[in-house]
């Protein structure tokens, strides 16, 4: 019988909530009030070991559905076919910024393909995973199929990686990585102005900018730039009002914790030190809580860290451009390739630019976080490797392919 998930703070191993072997806990801080609101048990190496053993014992009893392969009759006298089979015990480490979404997009296809799993939630946001574990008890998920640990990168995350043979020790294990982004948004002179402004605003302020695919670099063609920037300032000022995220009328919440808040403030300080044009914001937004201003910084050099690196906060860089070839070169000049966007009324240009942008997803007259569950999602370059999420492609990530040759 499921425990009261709202009061649960233990690890979920072999179908039961249990304290960590060390008995250690860590505090959870409310980023709105900066007050301790709970303490959660911290998993260590021994806890990872017993979770892995539970997952091994449960495999392969959890096979939830058949994954289809291919057949071939091209060779006379043979029937040849391929099958997809689960790996067995899989390890997962999810980030903090969308804890429930990240959890279900990993667990769903992994278990549906017949694997068992040991998953570590982020120490910044463990409760969504704890509630999910409680629901697994309620629906009667077989014991050991899913094990959820709360803890830090060291020792818990490191122990999971070692169990799965981290790349530093072996290159013979399959690894799927969902990594960061520095997504460009291109606005041409003929773009639908209001739509482009609202899309750019929502993308950078959604979840307080703590989204890997957020459109953090906006390039505006010179002819439309003055009108776009004025409208953007107004939209960001209105949508960027900070408040308590537990209240229904709040438009924007805080950064997740003090460390992330400090990183965002450091980027704002850098913009000031470099003398960049700060069109909106640029400071701490409130005396209490981890709130940073909704901020626009203009005309930032392409080699500056505000353009090159992930900030994970409500800071938008806006630069102008003259022509298509130029802006494509600047948009693609990044180690990341998660999401890109183009706003234009010219369908030929839209398709041409969408094809040229080096990213795993491209929005035309829309931008992140828009995505659909029946098309694959994932990054190019340093934004991801090893697989895709959503659609039928997500099952490929969690299965291995075997060819079978049958002589008749």
């Amino acid at each position: 019988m499921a425990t009261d998930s709202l009061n649960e703070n233990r690890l979920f191993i072999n179908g039961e909530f249990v304290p960590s072997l060390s008995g250690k806990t860590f505090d959870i801080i409310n980023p709105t009030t900066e007050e301790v609101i709970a303490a959660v048990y911290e998993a260590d190496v021994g806890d990872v070991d017993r979770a892995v053993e539970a997952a091994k014992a449960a495999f392969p009893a959890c096979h939830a559905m058949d994954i289809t392969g291919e057949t071939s009759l091209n060779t006379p006298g043979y029937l040849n076919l391929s099958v997809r089979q689960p790996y067995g015990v899989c390890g997962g480490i999810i980030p903090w910024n969308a804890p429930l979404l990240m959890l279900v997009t990993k667990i769903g296809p992994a278990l549906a393909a017949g694997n068992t799993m040991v998953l570590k939630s982020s120490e910044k946001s463990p409760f969504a995973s704890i509630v999910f574990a409680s629901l697994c008890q309620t629906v009667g998920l077989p014991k050991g199929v899913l094990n959820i640990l709360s803890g830090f990168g060291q020792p818990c995350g490191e122990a999971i990686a070692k169990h799965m043979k981290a790349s530093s020790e072996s290159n013979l294990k399959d690894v799927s990585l969902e990594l960061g982004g520095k997504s460009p948004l291109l606005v041409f002179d003929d773009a639908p102005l209001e739509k482009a402004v609202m899309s750019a605003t929502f993308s950078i302020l959604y979840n307080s900018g703590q989204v890997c695919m957020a459109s953090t670099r906006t390039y505006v063609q010179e002819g439309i730039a003055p009108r776009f920037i004025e409208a953007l300032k107004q939209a960001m000022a209105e949508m960027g009002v900070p408040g308590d995220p537990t209240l229904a009328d709040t438009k924007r919440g805080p950064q997740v914790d003090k460390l992330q808040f400090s990183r965002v403030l450091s980027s704002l300080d850098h913009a000031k030190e470099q003398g960049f044009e700060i069109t909106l914001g640029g400071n701490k937004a409130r005396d209490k809580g981890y709130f940073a201003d909704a901020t626009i910084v203009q005309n930032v050099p392409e080699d500056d860290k505000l353009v090159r690196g992930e900030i994970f906060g409500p800071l938008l860089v806006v630069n102008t451009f003259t022509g298509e070839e130029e802006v494509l070169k600047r948009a693609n000049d990044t180690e990341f390739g998660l999401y890109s966007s183009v706003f234009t009324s010219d369908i030929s240009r839209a398709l041409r630019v969408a094809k040229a942008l080096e990213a795993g997803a491209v929005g035309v007259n829309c931008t992140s976080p828009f995505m659909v569950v029946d098309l694959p999602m994932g990054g190019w370059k340093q934004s991801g490797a090893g697989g895709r999420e959503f659609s039928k492609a997500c099952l490929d990530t969690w299965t291995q392919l075997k060819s079978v040759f049958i002589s008749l």
Side-chain angles (χ1 to χ4, degrees), residues 335-401:
E335 63 180 339
F336 299 109
L338 186 55
Y339 206 111
S340 295
S341 307
V342 54
F343 283 77
T344 178
S345 297
D346 185 337
I347 187 62
S348 295
R349 172 159 50 197
L351 295 176
R352 186 169 62 244
V353 170
K355 185 178 179 180
L357 286 167
E358 297 171 357
V362 178
V364 176
N365 293 331
C366 63
T367 191
S368 63
F370 182 79
M371 57 187 121
V372 292
V373 297
D374 54 346
L375 285 181
M377 188 69 206
W380 286 16
K381 299 192 273 191
Q382 296 300 310
S383 286
R388 288 292 184 267
E389 295 184 329
F390 306 143
S391 79
K392 295 179 180 178
C394 70
L395 294 172
D396 293 346
T397 304
W398 298 100
T399 54
Q400 46 195 341
L401 196 60

Side-chain angles (χ1 to χ4, degrees), residues 199-265:
S199 297
T201 300
F202 184 77
S203 184
I204 195 61
L205 295 184
Y206 177 70
N207 210 26
S208 297
Q210 299 168 129
V211 179
C212 55
M213 63 177 65
S215 296
T216 55
R217 297 182 291 145
T218 294
Y219 295 95
V220 189
Q221 200 161 18
E222 290 175 343
I224 203 175
R227 288 189 295 141
F228 178 89
I229 292 169
E230 280 304 309
L232 180 71
K233 285 168 57 180
Q234 181 176 348
M236 284 188 64
E238 292 175 356
M239 196 181 297
V241 177
D244 185 343
T246 64
L247 302 179
D249 60 349
T250 294
K251 296 182 178 180
R252 181 172 66 90
Q255 308 312 124
V256 67
D257 63 6
K258 187 175 182 179
L259 177 61
Q260 184 58 33
F261 179 55
S262 298
R263 288 171 175 166
V264 174
L265 293 185

